[in-house]
């Protein structure tokens, strides 16, 4: 029976636990940019959490799930990202993609 890989729950950086400040805002935004949005006509430019996390990890290495969500929430608070930050599936997008207009996506301010 094949073993499934367990995701890390912590990651050490210079002997301490990795924190949100260790993930550059621009690296997270670039990860969202690198994931292609749905190509259906009229589809919102949302990307799924697992795709964004995989793109980020390809650049900076493994990121624990809870830390990833914490960083996403910080970027929502800074209004750099929009979408759903509850951890269900993501629906992340750059606020510049909808012009920060809540009537387009329902999540931006």
């Amino acid at each position: 029976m094949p073993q499934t890989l367990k995701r890390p729950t912590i990651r050490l950086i210079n002997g301490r636990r990795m924190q949100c400040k260790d993930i550059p805002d621009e690296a997270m935004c670039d990860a969202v940019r690198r994931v292609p949005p749905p190509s259906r006509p009229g589809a919102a430019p949302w990307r799924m959490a697992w795709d964004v996390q995989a793109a980020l990890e390809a650049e900076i290495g493994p990121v624990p799930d809870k830390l990833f969500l914490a960083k996403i929430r910080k970027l929502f608070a800074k209004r750099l990202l929009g979408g759903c930050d509850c951890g269900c599936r993501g629906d992340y997008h750059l606020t510049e993609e909808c012009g920060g207009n809540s009537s387009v996506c329902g999540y931006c301010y």
Side-chain angles (χ1 to χ4, degrees):
M1 175 179 259
Q3 282 186 322
T4 58
L5 295 174
K6 292 181 87 176
R7 295 210 31 89
T9 55
I10 65 167
R11 179 174 164 196
L12 298 178
I13 302 286
N14 297 325
R16 64 169 176 76
R17 285 181 150 200
M18 186 179 198
Q19 300 173 3
C20 286
K21 66 182 179 183
D22 298 318
I23 303 170
D25 292 354
E26 194 56 35
M28 184 70 83
C29 291
D30 284 344
V32 173
R33 279 185 195 97
R34 284 194 308 274
V35 175
S39 58
R40 300 183 317 273
W46 297 340
R47 283 74 160 197
M48 297 297 113
W50 48 83
D51 295 331
V52 174
Q53 189 168 1
L56 178 67
E57 289 179 341
E59 184 179 335
I60 69 168
V63 177
D65 294 338
K66 289 182 180 181
L67 180 60
F68 175 78
L69 285 175
K71 184 63 178 187
I72 287 289
R73 288 182 180 121
K74 287 190 178 287
L75 294 178
F76 278 26
K78 291 180 179 180
R79 298 185 176 158
L80 294 174
L81 292 181
C84 179
D85 65 352
C86 76
C88 60
R89 66 177 187 216
D91 297 343
Y92 308 138
H93 66 279
L94 300 165
T95 53
E96 65 196 36
E97 292 175 334
C98 65
N101 184 352
S102 63
S103 65
V104 174
C105 71
Y107 291 106
C108 291
Y109 300 100

